[in-house]
Amino acid sequence: MTDDTPHAQREPFLPGGLPLYGTFARFQGALYACRLGNFPGSGQRNDMVTLISSDGDMPGPEWRLAPHPWRTGCTELTRVIDRSQADDVFDCQSTAQWHGVELEALLYLPSSRRISGYISRFSERLRPTIESMPEFGRVDRGTWHGEVPFDELERLEIRREPSSAREPLTKRRRLFHGR
């Protein structure tokens, strides 16, 4: 596997800005990866949106450099807004197929033009193939993680889904499907 250092840049966007996997918010005409949370004492669920800038430059004075919540030693540019300030908040799920193997929870690695993803659902007939591929490493009993060349994907599908239970499932829609 390549780009396996803890600080390798993994992007939730494909080149051109297509969201790939995670929660996203459109704010002031731009699309950001984000995390949802609750303002202390508000009593509202997911009323706080922490925008995350994937651009290396400070987008404005309201943004701050903050420690990454679960990556020790890493920082990110963030801005906290009220959910009502966002034009749109949604989730994306994505799957890809590479050499007959289905990957999910995809991220893009721009430095090597690879896709990082997990294999958790597979046919037992594929187990020997997956175990023999150097691109994949076993995470636990039934899950593998790997990085594969983006240009070799046989299929890529990205689905937009509601960001909370408050939105009806009828709002799900396919953002991209094909190769």
Side-chain angles (χ1 to χ4, degrees):
M1 293 191 300
T2 62
D3 280 335
D4 56 0
T5 61
H7 302 292
Q9 185 173 352
R10 289 166 163 74
E11 290 288 334
F13 296 99
L14 286 174
L18 187 65
L20 192 57
Y21 174 76
T23 303
F24 299 89
R26 188 170 303 284
F27 176 70
Q28 295 180 342
L31 186 61
Y32 298 97
C34 69
R35 287 187 295 275
L36 301 179
N38 305 322
F39 282 115
S42 74
Q44 298 291 317
R45 183 173 171 253
N46 291 334
D47 61 343
M48 180 177 72
V49 177
T50 301
L51 303 172
I52 305 162
S53 175
S54 58
D55 189 358
D57 299 324
M58 186 72 72
E62 306 86 2
W63 292 76
R64 65 183 185 97
L65 191 61
H68 193 283
W70 54 85
R71 289 189 187 146
T72 305
C74 293
T75 57
E76 60 187 6
L77 290 170
T78 63
R79 178 177 178 180
V80 176
I81 62 168
D82 188 278
R83 185 174 181 145
S84 65
Q85 292 178 274
D87 300 320
D88 193 14
V89 178
F90 61 93
D91 292 329
C92 279
Q93 302 295 325
S94 53
T95 57
Q97 187 172 342
W98 179 78
H99 292 274
V101 176
E102 181 117 343
L103 296 137
E104 56 190 25
L106 307 176
L107 293 174
Y108 181 66
L109 290 77
S111 62
S112 60
R113 292 193 39 80
R114 297 173 76 81
I115 290 287
S116 166
Y118 291 90
I119 305 169
S120 57
R121 297 174 306 202
F122 59 90
S123 164
E124 280 300 316
R125 69 178 176 74
L126 282 177
R127 183 182 295 272
T129 304
I130 294 168
E131 288 176 344
S132 70
M133 292 177 156
E135 290 84 6
F136 297 103
R138 195 173 197 155
V139 175
D140 59 32
R141 184 175 169 201
T143 306
W144 283 266
H145 178 265
E147 298 170 2
V148 300
F150 177 73
D151 295 333
E152 293 180 16
L153 294 180
E154 297 159 5
R155 181 183 54 77
L156 174 64
E157 182 176 338
I158 303 169
R159 293 172 311 282
R160 177 188 165 125
E161 300 178 348
S163 66
S164 72
R166 292 182 288 187
E167 298 177 31
L169 292 178
T170 55
K171 283 194 163 184
R172 289 184 181 181
R173 69 178 196 242
R174 186 176 290 169
L175 289 180
F176 178 83
H177 179 78
R179 181 58 202 135

